[in-house]
């Protein structure tokens, strides 16, 4: 098969982890007889430096035409001036929105070999397998922002349609998994959450009667996620709650550097990125964990290109690398660690 993949390295460790994932995709292509054309474009801080825009038109057009997009990370201290008019993060939000990628899939599966990297007791982590589906193009991230000298506001709004479509994505996944869906909101306080709860309940009872639905308040969910993570299958929630809960959930897996994500819309195309950020503190040192981006590339193969075997081959190779103790410093917790390149090489050899 022939596919076009747009690569957006971005800032900080973004370029290091995308180079790693692209080399893995190249070896998959070779091994399985596919042809992948990679087009690299700018996004985020580097795009601001070159063009003044965090999402240049050329980047968006290339992304729209591609079969899939692989992204590193955006942002860094250089562009963090609070009074700046343009910010790298705007590029990421704009591309998610422009491509209609309303569902962000963030799987959390602690690896048996990396349990020690987690601050949570290992016995709580056995068999944890959670899929968080985060709404990605609505809510407080995209509502009107206002600012005067002494006050500021961010509007949070959701429409029924925005809730329905992401709930359908989550329920479809729950059906393919263990059939259990938890919808997370703050319905005791927020009007948007009351709509969220109402619409979710209706979609599930009308269209997914076989899926078991449970509602949780976000504060309580934050606690339950650490207290009994094994009890959860698919979690669906709004944009900001999903952002926060998945950083928390990454600690179940031991490191932010292990969590991939897929951002999907109605069609086959999607955007794939690690959930971690640009980590400016370690950028350029060659020690960033490439596994999250490599696993995002596996999700790309599965969801956008329909290559289940190839995706599984990458996931197996990462699993084996972890089992062999091939850890970057974030996982090694002071023990022996390897570079980004060595970790990538180890995955490549196992494909
Ligand atoms: C994420 C990140 C982004 C978000 C930032 C960089 C805008 O934290 O993908 O989780 O908040 O969505
Ligand atoms: Mg985040």
């Amino acid at each position: 098969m022939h596919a076009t993949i747009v690569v957006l390295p971005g800032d900080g460790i973004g370029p290091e982890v995308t180079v790693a994932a692209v080399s893995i995709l190249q070896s998959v292509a070779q091994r399985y007889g596919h042809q992948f054309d990679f087009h690299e474009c700018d996004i985020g801080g580097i795009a601001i430096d070159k063009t003044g825009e965090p999402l240049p038109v050329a980047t968006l057009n290339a992304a729209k035409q591609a079969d899939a997009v692989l992204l590193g990370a955006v942002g860094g201290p250089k562009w963090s001036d609070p009074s700046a008019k343009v910010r790298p993060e705007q590029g990421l939000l704009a591309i998610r929105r422009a491509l209609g990628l309303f569902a962000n899939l963030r799987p959390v599966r602690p690896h048996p070999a990396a349990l020690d990297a987690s601050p949570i007791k290992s016995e709580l982590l056995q068999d944890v397998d959670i899929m968080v589906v985060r709404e990605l193009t609505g809510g407080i991230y995209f509502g009107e922002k206002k600012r005067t000298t002494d006050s500021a506001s961010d509007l949070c709004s959701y429409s029924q349609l925005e809730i329905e479509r992401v709930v359908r994505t989550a329920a479809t996944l729950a059906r393919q998994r263990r059939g259990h869906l938890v919808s997370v909101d703050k319905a005791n306080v927020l009007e948007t959450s009351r709509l969220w709860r109402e619409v979710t309940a209706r979609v599930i009872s009308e269209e997914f009667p076989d899926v078991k639905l449970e509602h949780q308040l976000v504060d309580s969910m934050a606690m339950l996620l650490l207290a009994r993570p094994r009890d959860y299958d698919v979690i669906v929630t709004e944009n900001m709650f999903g952002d926060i809960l998945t950083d928390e959930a990454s600690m179940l897996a031991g490191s932010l550097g292990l969590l991939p994500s897929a951002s999907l819309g109605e069609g086959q195309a999607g955007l794939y990125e690690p959930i971690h950020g640009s980590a400016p503190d370690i950028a350029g040192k060659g020690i960033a964990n490439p596994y999250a981006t490599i696993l995002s590339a596996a999700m790309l193969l599965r969801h956008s290109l329909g290559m289940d075997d190839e995706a599984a081959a990458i996931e197996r190779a990462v699993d084996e690398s972890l089992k062999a103790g091939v850890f970057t410093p974030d996982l090694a917790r002071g023990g022996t660690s390897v570079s980004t390149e060595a970790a990538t090489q180890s995955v490549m050899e196992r494909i």
Side-chain angles (χ1 to χ4, degrees), residues 66-236:
D67 295 299
V69 179
L70 180 71
L71 185 142
V74 299
K78 183 175 175 194
W79 309 279
S80 291
D81 177 359
S83 63
K85 277 266 169 302
V86 284
R87 300 181 59 96
E89 291 79 5
Q90 291 165 344
L92 181 55
L93 301 185
I95 196 170
R96 289 170 177 171
R97 176 97 158 186
L99 298 178
L101 307 171
F102 57 83
N104 183 219
L105 278 47
R106 298 187 161 186
V108 182
R109 220 172 316 142
H111 189 280
L115 295 187
D116 282 346
S118 173
I120 309 296
K121 290 195 183 79
S122 325
E123 63 263 31
L124 292 176
L125 299 173
Q126 312 281 337
D127 304 318
V128 167
D129 181 357
I130 303 173
M131 175 68 85
V132 181
V133 180
R134 168 189 177 193
E135 199 289 327
L136 202 60
T137 53
I140 198 165
Y141 271 60
F142 290 94
E144 192 189 356
K145 296 178 191 306
K146 285 194 193 152
R147 179 70 190 260
T148 64
T149 356
D150 72 352
S151 78
S153 67
D154 298 274
L155 179 72
C156 181
S157 84
Y158 268 109
S159 70
Q160 298 214 31
L161 180 144
E162 285 175 310
I163 302 167
E164 283 163 4
R165 61 189 184 183
V166 72
V167 167
R168 285 192 188 107
T169 302
T172 305
L173 287 165
R175 204 172 244 175
Q176 293 156 8
R177 294 167 47 103
R178 303 191 298 281
H180 183 200
L181 179 64
V182 177
S183 169
V184 176
D185 60 41
K186 186 73 186 175
N188 52 349
V189 177
L190 302 176
E191 204 54 48
T192 38
S193 281
R194 287 190 272 269
L195 180 70
W196 184 281
R197 197 173 273 222
E198 196 182 298
V199 171
T200 302
R202 173 172 53 72
V203 170
I204 299 305
S205 78
E206 286 176 6
E207 301 171 33
F208 301 88
D210 51 319
V211 169
K212 181 172 164 276
L213 174 66
E214 178 188 328
H215 301 281
Q216 283 293 349
L217 296 173
V218 63
D219 48 350
S220 162
M221 189 69 233
M223 177 271 294
L224 292 168
L225 208 45
L226 303 186
R228 39 188 184 91
R230 211 176 359 245
D231 290 3
Y232 299 96
D233 179 13
V234 179
I235 294 174
V236 64

Side-chain angles (χ1 to χ4, degrees), residues 26-88:
Q26 265 156 348
S27 60
V28 166
Q30 205 173 31
R31 174 94 167 65
Y32 289 83
H34 302 303
Q35 192 190 329
F36 298 150
D37 291 335
F38 297 98
H39 292 302
E40 199 173 301
C41 300
D42 294 320
I43 194 168
I46 187 169
I48 294 176
D49 287 352
K50 289 194 194 168
T51 69
E53 303 280 339
L55 177 62
V57 182
T59 299
L60 181 57
N61 285 341
K64 279 183 174 161
Q65 276 152 34
D67 295 299
V69 179
L70 180 71
L71 185 142
V74 299
K78 183 175 175 194
W79 309 279
S80 291
D81 177 359
S83 63
K85 277 266 169 302
V86 284
R87 300 181 59 96

